[in-house]
């Protein structure tokens, strides 16, 4: 998110590239989390907790055509609020008709706390959908790219499957020996270094619909869990009707969740040195380096579409909670 992923998206479309191999590797040594790990809740964010996150109000580093609002403006314009059902809503301005080239109001927030090796469980009910939009749920360390970036949910325009991507300093790659230890499909370069040769990071495309966009919203989303530990980084996602009971009970047991959608093994990337002190982030940008580049008709057509507020009718994050666990 922080950087260009355009080349990887351009090189390979946001579709499943093939049937993952479910037979091999399910019990492969070293793939599962350590046994008998105990997870202890460190912090829960829900409802008004998100209003205590930091509202980023600088120009979008990815060149999006947005005004990221500070907290006061976000609240007075009702673009960040706790809804009556308790969910936290972040939305793009969907009422203002803009002139050519004008920026549209949007929200980018980051957690005041930082995390290095934790289990993160995010229950998301709706995500922003629509042409020109580029929503992401991600994390990064202040010294980018040395402290790394993890893009957990990301895509643009009319994407229907999620892309999960790492960006790092030198000497971190996606180990394709573990392709059968995940249900997703590595997509594009395996070198995670940014800028590196192409700044696209190393990405894995989810194998399943309902992981992004309208199909995600139709089923009221679900839970995305990611675990950063000494084995690597694993990302699972469960649709609304299939959330494991241990997650709901707040006694998570990742060892029982089956293959992750994405697995970035530590064998070719020393995770503990490449991903340090991350703030969690939600944002929705518009056009810019990725959504603009991939927009049908290109960046100028994307920019023209920003003027019409009806393109932002569904450009809304609706988050139930994020639980962050320590483990030992
Ligand atoms: C949460 O994690 C942070 C960073 O590891 C730690 O400083 C803090 O004490 C933890 N809080 C709880 C309640 O576990
Ligand atoms: C690259 O990372 C590996 C571990 O993945 C480490 O053993 C090696 O020393 C690193 N090389 C450099 C030049 O940092
Ligand atoms: C703007 O978004 C909100 C919810 O996120 C929705 O209730 C409302 O209908 C939308 N308005 C328009 C004009 O699309």
């Amino acid at each position: 998110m922080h950087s260009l992923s355009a080349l990887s998206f351009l090189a390979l479309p946001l579709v499943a590239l093939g049937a993952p191999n479910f037979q091999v590797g399910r019990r492969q040594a070293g793939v599962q989390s350590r046994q008998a790990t105990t997870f202890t809740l460190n912090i829960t964010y829900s409802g008004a907790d998100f209003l205590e996150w930091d509202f980023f109000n600088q120009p979008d580093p990815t060149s999006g055509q947005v005004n990221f609002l500070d907290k006061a403006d976000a609240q007075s314009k009702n673009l960040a609020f706790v809804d009556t059902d308790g969910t936290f809503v972040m939305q793009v301005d969907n009422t203002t008709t803009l002139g050519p080239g004008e920026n549209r109001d949007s929200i980018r927030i980051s957690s005041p706390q930082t995390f290095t090796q934790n289990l993160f469980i995010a229950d998301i009910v709706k995500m922003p959908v629509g042409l020109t939009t580029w929503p992401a749920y991600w994390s990064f360390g202040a010294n980018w790219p040395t402290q790394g970036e993890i893009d957990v949910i990301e895509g643009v325009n009319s994407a229907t499957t999620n892309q999960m991507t790492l960006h790092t300093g030198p000497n971190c790659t996606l180990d394709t020996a573990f392709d059968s230890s995940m249900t997703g499909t590595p997509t594009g370069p395996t070198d995670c270094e940014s800028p590196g040769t192409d700044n696209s990071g190393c990405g894995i495309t989810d194998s399943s619909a309902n992981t992004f966009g309208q199909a995600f919203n139709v089923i009221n989303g679900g839970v995305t869990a990611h675990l950063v530990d000494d084995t690597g980084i694993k990302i699972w996602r469960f649709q609304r009707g299939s959330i494991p009971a241990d997650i709901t009970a707040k006694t998570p047991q990742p060892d029982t969740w089956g293959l992750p959608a994405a697995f970035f093994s530590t064998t070719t990337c020393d995770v503990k040195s490449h991903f340090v002190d991350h703030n969690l982030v939600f944002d929705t940008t518009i056009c810019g380096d990725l959504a603009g580049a991939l927009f049908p008709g290109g960046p100028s057509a994307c920019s023209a579409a920003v003027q019409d507020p009806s393109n932002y009718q569904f450009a809304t994050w609706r988050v139930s909670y994020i639980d962050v666990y320590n483990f030992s």
Side-chain angles (χ1 to χ4, degrees):
M1 183 63 214
H2 197 83
S3 64
L4 289 174
S5 306
L7 289 172
S8 113
F9 277 90
L10 283 171
L12 292 151
L14 286 170
V15 295
L17 294 181
N21 183 339
F22 291 96
Q23 283 72 48
V24 181
R26 191 181 285 274
R27 294 283 175 258
Q28 198 167 334
V31 171
Q32 292 188 294
S33 303
R34 295 169 297 181
Q35 299 298 310
T37 302
T38 304
F39 292 89
T40 311
L41 193 60
N42 180 275
I43 192 166
T44 293
Y45 303 104
S46 67
D49 298 335
F50 290 105
L51 290 170
E52 303 311 315
W53 283 30
D54 297 317
F55 282 68
F56 175 93
N57 69 336
Q58 305 296 307
D60 177 18
T62 59
S63 317
Q65 199 172 325
V66 286
N67 289 321
F68 286 130
L69 301 181
D70 65 23
K71 181 176 166 177
D73 283 347
Q75 290 194 275
S76 70
K77 295 183 175 186
N78 224 24
L79 296 183
F81 60 93
V82 182
D83 208 347
T84 49
D85 64 359
T87 56
F88 182 66
V89 176
M90 292 163 274
Q91 67 183 70
V92 176
D93 170 7
N94 66 5
T95 58
T96 309
T97 299
L98 299 175
E102 286 186 331
N103 289 349
R104 185 164 288 284
D105 289 344
S106 187
I107 306 294
R108 169 173 158 164
I109 60 170
S110 54
S111 65
Q113 290 77 21
T114 60
F115 307 99
T116 296
Q117 291 211 340
N118 293 87
L119 172 66
F120 305 86
I121 297 185
D123 185 314
I124 298 169
V125 181
K126 302 282 184 199
M127 63 175 301
V129 170
L131 283 176
T132 80
T133 63
W134 175 6
Y137 162 53
W138 54 297
S139 71
F140 73 110
N143 184 10
W144 190 91
T146 309
Q147 288 177 216
E149 170 178 331
I150 305 172
D151 300 327
V152 182
I153 298 178
E154 184 180 25
V156 299
N157 295 320
S158 50
T160 57
T161 47
N162 186 37
Q163 172 132 352
M164 300 154 280
T165 306
L166 305 182
H167 298 274
T168 66
N171 199 24
C172 170
T173 62
L174 172 55
D175 189 347
T176 53
F178 290 90
D179 283 8
S180 60
S181 303
M182 62 180 112
T183 60
T185 307
T187 314
T190 54
D191 188 354
C192 307
E193 182 181 1
S194 276
T197 50
D198 59 17
N199 209 23
S200 61
C202 55
I204 294 171
T205 303
D206 206 295
S207 60
S208 161
N210 302 331
T211 57
F212 198 86
Q214 194 189 348
F216 178 93
N217 289 347
V218 163
I219 60 167
N220 287 322
V223 161
T224 299
H226 69 286
L227 175 63
V228 183
D229 69 10
D230 286 340
T231 70
I233 298 173
K234 302 187 185 80
I235 302 172
W236 293 263
R237 73 284 172 284
F238 305 102
Q239 49 188 63
R240 180 65 51 201
S242 313
I243 299 168
D246 57 292
I247 286 181
T248 312
K250 300 192 186 289
T251 55
Q253 295 172 14
D255 288 342
T256 67
W257 294 344
L259 290 184
F263 178 41
F264 301 91
S265 169
T266 201
T267 45
T268 55
C269 179
D270 182 31
V271 162
K272 68 178 175 308
S273 63
H274 283 288
F275 301 89
V276 178
D277 291 342
H278 277 208
N279 299 93
L280 295 168
V281 186
F282 280 104
D283 79 308
T284 309
T285 190
I286 295 174
C287 301
D289 295 334
L290 192 54
L294 297 186
F295 192 80
S300 59
C302 192
S303 180
V306 177
Q307 296 177 60
D308 181 354
S310 72
N311 287 327
Y312 304 93
Q313 196 175 352
F314 304 109
T316 304
W317 284 107
R318 196 173 269 278
V319 180
S320 179
Y321 68 84
I322 297 178
D323 286 336
V324 183
Y325 292 86
N326 295 340
F327 52 79
S328 57

